[in-house]
Amino acid sequence: MAEELLKITDLKVGTRGLEIVKGLTLSMRKGEILGLAGESGCGKSTLIKSVIRLLAPGLAITSGSITFDGIDLLGLSSENARKLRGRRLTLVSQNAVEALNDTRTIGSHFLETMKSHVKIEKKKALREAADLMASLDLSDPERILASYPFELSGGMNQRVLIALAMVMRPELMLADEPTSALDAAVQAQAVSEMIKLREKYGAAILIVTHNLGVLAHMAETVGVMYSGLLVEYGQNQAVMGRPAHPYTQALIAAVPDLQGQMKDTIEGSPPSLGEILPGCDFSPRCQFAQEVCQNVKPELRKLSPDHYAACHLDFKPLDS
Amino acid sequence: MLKYIYRRALQLIPILIGITIINFGIMYLSPSDPAERELVLRGMMVSQETLAAMRADMGLDQPFWIQYGRWVKNLFKGDLGTSFASGRPVMVEIGECLPYTLSLAATAIIMTMVVSIPLGLLSAVRQNGILDYLIRVLTFVGGTMPGFLVGLLLIYVFGLRLKWQPVISDGSWSSMVLPTITLALAMTCKYIRQIRAAILEELDKEYVWGARARGVKEKYILYRNVLKNSMLTIITLLGISIGYLLGGTAIVEIIFTWPGMGKLVMEAINMRDYPIVQGYVIWMAVIFVSVNLITDLSYRLLNPRIRLSEEVA
């Protein structure tokens, strides 16, 4: 097994007694592409904002630890955390157009990012930025560098944002719904750009999305989050092909296919913030729920060497 | 760019025509008779004959449009007429007051900017901290104090009690201190609050978060991004303030006996000195149109979206 890059242990994040992430444990290897799926509000964005130490005001990490390549991220001073951000780990957010400053050129964005981490001449920095974009198949990098964000299309902005995040060659890129605002054709470009990052620069990618198609396509490992916890985790083919948790099964069944309309939707909604159930958080919506599900919290169990699920039910994974 | 300036300058013409006609009309209809006042001033007897003679002499017996037309014709020769009160050309009267108004406006604006930009920024960055609360309370109090009260308080404390400053200004540099503070105080308080609000709004935008996610230094985020984008708000405020200050600030000028435009026009209105008032109105119109033009040009400079859309169009 390759070296461990990121380790999250029993992480709890919340605000005034309400827990959003409820004791999550996760680890990533160097160069791994890990995808996290789940409904809106399941805590996936909060999770990656905790890793990058940029939680929204009011939110705080109440317990647990996050280590990155042996460094205790939660123990870092804010200046040391800043030095790490962008240089060794970085984040790409979903609204590329808003994530860039409209009154400054793309080139200035690259410059200020590079100058924040290393001493570098303007010319050299811009040439490096252009080379990076060219290596990611962005055409005419010089023109892009001289452009303002509003002069580029939404998809182009998203791809620029990914290149911008990678300019210091960080070992870990966190991607928060990086394709959700894009149409299908541009989505594919953004996804292949991210895959190229891993091939060329060996970057590990933690991608958070509700788009299962994107996950199935690019992730090696897939995690499914529900109500602030991982409910299923494992190798892509195992989780996508033989989903064990009823929530994962329902999520996959709900993906609309090209022939028809939406298929089976999941009835009900996740527990609201602060609502604490004694048993499994999914049990009120689960068609297989039994008495034990309502009273005891399920732990992640090993189903096969590369496949874990947090469910009391002892049935064999469904073949889909 | 030049074409744009030229087009904007052309817009000045109808504005000036409109303003002068309205102003001329109000003066024409006002009940007080400058001919009568002139006679009293010269110590001559006021009778039907002397009044009629004086009116004819001053051109007041002619119909409105003739009077207005003559005034416009002279305007093109650079002649704004002669002050009824002093008998001197209006150009000379205004020319004497202008340096005083310009210097007071300049010092007040500079002082306001120098104090309010750093404090507004500080207040926003330390939002809800002790310093922020202190700044907010003080600017609230300072912003609600009327100028004449501040002026009189300053004269009492620094002029009468401490005797650091002359009570009646002699037009020297040191006598500008109190009027400058009086003008700058209210403006500074207003500016700090507006700049704070603008910066907080800007700090809340996603690109700030995005820059932090890339580890961009906070000073780059603050000065090269947030402050730059907030400059649009600051320049809008500045445009309004400069227009207002260049018109002269009657109350402050009268309190400190500062011989600027505001004091000149107040006295002219009291004396029904039409030519001076007309000259002043022209000055104000020119000021407002040019300040607006400069403000718009700076928008284009600061916001590439406006600049580039103009170039394409």
Side-chain angles (χ1 to χ4, degrees):
Chain A
M1 188 167 143
E3 227 177 311
E4 191 170 64
L5 182 65
L6 178 72
K7 180 149 187 62
I8 301 172
T9 314
D10 197 29
L11 184 76
K12 290 183 180 168
V13 186
T15 170
R16 275 178 266 118
L18 310 176
E19 279 188 344
I20 297 170
V21 177
K22 305 172 179 172
L24 187 138
T25 299
L26 191 72
S27 85
M28 267 182 93
R29 297 184 312 274
K30 286 189 169 163
E32 182 180 1
I33 299 183
L34 169 67
L36 286 180
E39 287 168 297
S40 318
C42 71
K44 40 192 196 336
S45 289
T46 306
L47 175 72
I48 60 173
K49 283 174 185 169
S50 310
V51 174
I52 203 154
R53 285 276 309 269
L54 283 176
L55 281 172
L59 285 182
I61 294 165
T62 49
S63 80
S65 73
I66 305 175
T67 52
F68 171 80
D69 200 20
I71 304 164
D72 174 19
L73 284 184
L74 304 185
L76 287 180
S77 70
S78 57
E79 175 59 12
N80 283 336
R82 178 197 69 75
K83 283 181 180 158
L84 216 57
R85 277 199 300 270
R87 198 162 53 83
R88 298 199 61 193
L89 70 170
T90 188
L91 184 137
V92 175
S93 58
Q94 70 171 305
N95 287 318
V97 181
E98 280 154 37
L100 297 166
N101 183 354
D102 234 6
T103 63
R104 309 192 69 214
T105 58
I106 302 293
S108 326
H109 285 81
F110 275 97
L111 263 181
E112 70 181 5
T113 306
M114 294 163 95
K115 283 194 160 172
S116 293
H117 296 292
V118 286
K119 272 202 152 84
I120 191 166
E121 263 178 81
K122 186 178 172 182
K123 264 191 182 162
K124 189 163 178 279
L126 288 177
R127 197 168 54 240
E128 269 185 32
D131 290 346
L132 172 68
M133 285 201 273
S135 80
L136 295 172
D137 290 345
L138 280 140
S139 55
D140 207 354
E142 276 80 18
R143 188 186 58 83
I144 295 176
L145 284 174
S147 303
Y148 289 95
F150 61 85
E151 295 177 289
L152 304 175
S153 68
M156 189 57 91
N157 271 317
Q158 187 71 52
R159 295 178 63 193
V160 165
L161 197 64
I162 293 172
L164 185 56
M166 284 308 294
V167 73
M168 299 307 298
R169 308 286 187 275
E171 295 125 275
L172 174 63
M173 183 173 91
L174 306 158
D176 188 2
E177 305 270 6
T179 58
S180 302
L182 307 176
D183 62 68
V186 187
Q187 262 184 27
Q189 286 180 335
V191 167
S192 70
E193 187 171 328
M194 283 189 279
I195 292 172
K196 235 172 270 156
L197 287 179
R198 206 269 299 263
E199 284 167 1
K200 291 199 170 154
Y201 306 112
I205 300 173
L206 171 53
I207 177 170
V208 152
T209 179
H210 52 244
N211 188 330
L212 292 177
V214 168
L215 285 193
H217 179 69
M218 67 181 283
E220 292 157 297
T221 315
V222 171
V224 178
M225 280 184 76
Y226 185 78
S227 181
L229 282 172
L230 268 182
V231 295
E232 186 158 357
Y233 177 82
Q235 220 209 332
N236 185 350
Q237 287 82 358
V239 176
M240 292 296 192
R242 300 182 302 279
H245 197 282
Y247 176 65
T248 315
Q249 293 168 4
L251 211 57
I252 292 170
V255 175
D257 60 23
L258 283 175
Q259 276 80 39
Q261 314 87 6
M262 293 286 285
K263 296 194 287 187
D264 307 321
T265 53
I266 309 174
E267 297 292 320
S269 54
S272 56
L273 208 56
E275 189 180 344
I276 296 163
L277 304 179
C280 171
D281 280 336
F282 187 61
S283 60
R285 299 167 79 184
C286 181
Q287 50 177 322
F288 309 111
Q290 294 165 2
E291 210 185 325
V292 60
C293 301
Q294 273 136 29
N295 298 319
V296 183
K297 286 242 181 282
E299 299 276 327
L300 273 177
R301 284 186 302 141
K302 197 176 206 167
L303 305 177
S304 71
D306 287 319
H307 195 176
Y308 300 79
C311 183
H312 291 299
L313 300 173
D314 194 23
F315 54 80
K316 292 190 179 71
L318 286 179
D319 284 309
S320 66
Chain B
M1 198 70 154
L2 275 174
K3 215 168 144 188
Y4 178 76
I5 297 174
Y6 178 69
R7 210 171 59 218
R8 289 289 302 261
L10 279 182
Q11 288 173 4
L12 186 61
I13 295 168
I15 293 173
L16 283 182
I17 292 175
I19 283 177
T20 49
I21 287 181
I22 291 170
N23 194 253
F24 218 86
I26 291 170
M27 285 294 187
Y28 186 80
L29 293 173
S30 81
S32 163
D33 185 348
E36 189 184 324
R37 183 176 283 271
E38 186 66 21
L39 283 176
V40 173
L41 211 67
R42 291 186 193 173
M44 288 160 76
M45 199 184 62
V46 181
S47 68
Q48 286 297 333
E49 294 83 52
T50 50
L51 214 51
M54 184 52 86
R55 284 209 182 103
D57 194 35
M58 294 170 80
L60 294 174
D61 55 343
Q62 281 157 326
F64 177 80
W65 290 110
I66 304 282
Q67 285 188 42
Y68 178 72
R70 194 177 56 222
W71 183 80
V72 170
K73 207 175 88 192
N74 286 333
L75 179 65
F76 279 105
K77 296 183 205 152
D79 176 11
L80 283 168
T82 334
S83 161
F84 291 165
S86 68
R88 300 195 306 153
V90 173
M91 279 296 197
V92 173
E93 292 266 2
I94 289 182
E96 275 174 8
C97 293
L98 211 51
Y100 288 98
T101 289
L102 290 179
S103 53
L104 190 57
T107 51
I109 285 284
I110 291 169
M111 188 168 170
T112 302
M113 288 288 111
V114 167
V115 177
S116 63
I117 292 180
L119 285 185
L121 194 66
L122 194 67
S123 195
V125 173
R126 301 271 167 85
Q127 191 191 6
N128 297 332
I130 296 169
L131 209 66
D132 180 35
Y133 276 115
L134 197 69
I135 289 173
R136 276 155 70 190
V137 168
L138 289 179
T139 53
F140 183 72
V141 174
T144 46
M145 285 215 287
F148 66 85
L149 180 66
V150 176
L152 291 177
L153 279 175
L154 288 176
I155 288 180
Y156 180 73
V157 175
F158 295 102
L160 291 177
R161 289 283 139 185
L162 300 171
K163 300 199 191 304
W164 289 356
Q165 289 289 324
V167 173
I168 292 183
S169 88
D170 48 12
S172 67
W173 278 98
S174 75
S175 61
M176 274 174 73
V177 175
L178 293 187
T180 299
I181 294 175
T182 309
L183 283 175
L185 182 74
M187 278 187 356
T188 305
C189 291
K190 190 177 81 183
Y191 273 52
I192 290 176
R193 298 179 76 87
Q194 301 261 16
I195 291 171
R196 175 183 180 272
I199 287 179
L200 280 180
E201 193 191 322
E202 205 58 36
L203 277 173
D204 211 31
K205 292 198 174 154
E206 217 179 300
Y207 75 82
V208 172
W209 200 86
R212 286 189 183 138
R214 292 192 302 275
V216 174
K217 284 183 181 162
E218 206 64 17
K219 64 174 183 191
Y220 292 165
I221 297 179
L222 226 47
Y223 299 119
R224 297 190 190 169
N225 293 278
V226 169
L227 195 60
K228 189 190 168 202
N229 287 4
S230 306
M231 281 313 279
L232 285 180
T233 314
I234 296 171
I235 281 176
T236 310
L237 283 172
L238 209 57
I240 299 168
S241 296
I242 289 177
Y244 156 80
L245 285 175
L246 290 185
T249 43
I251 292 172
V252 170
E253 285 176 11
I254 286 167
I255 289 176
F256 290 97
T257 58
W258 186 259
M261 296 289 283
K263 191 158 169 291
L264 175 77
V265 76
M266 280 303 288
E267 285 165 7
I269 290 170
N270 284 337
M271 304 284 286
R272 300 295 182 278
D273 196 344
Y274 296 174
I276 294 270
V277 175
Q278 280 287 14
Y280 177 79
V281 167
I282 295 276
W283 161 249
M284 285 310 285
V286 172
I287 284 296
F288 268 92
V289 173
S290 15
V291 166
N292 268 333
L293 176 63
I294 294 169
T295 310
D296 286 355
L297 290 177
S298 350
Y299 283 166
R300 293 154 58 91
L301 221 63
L302 280 172
N303 192 338
R305 205 185 264 267
I306 302 175
R307 180 170 71 229
L308 294 172
S309 67
E310 276 287 332
E311 274 167 21
V312 172

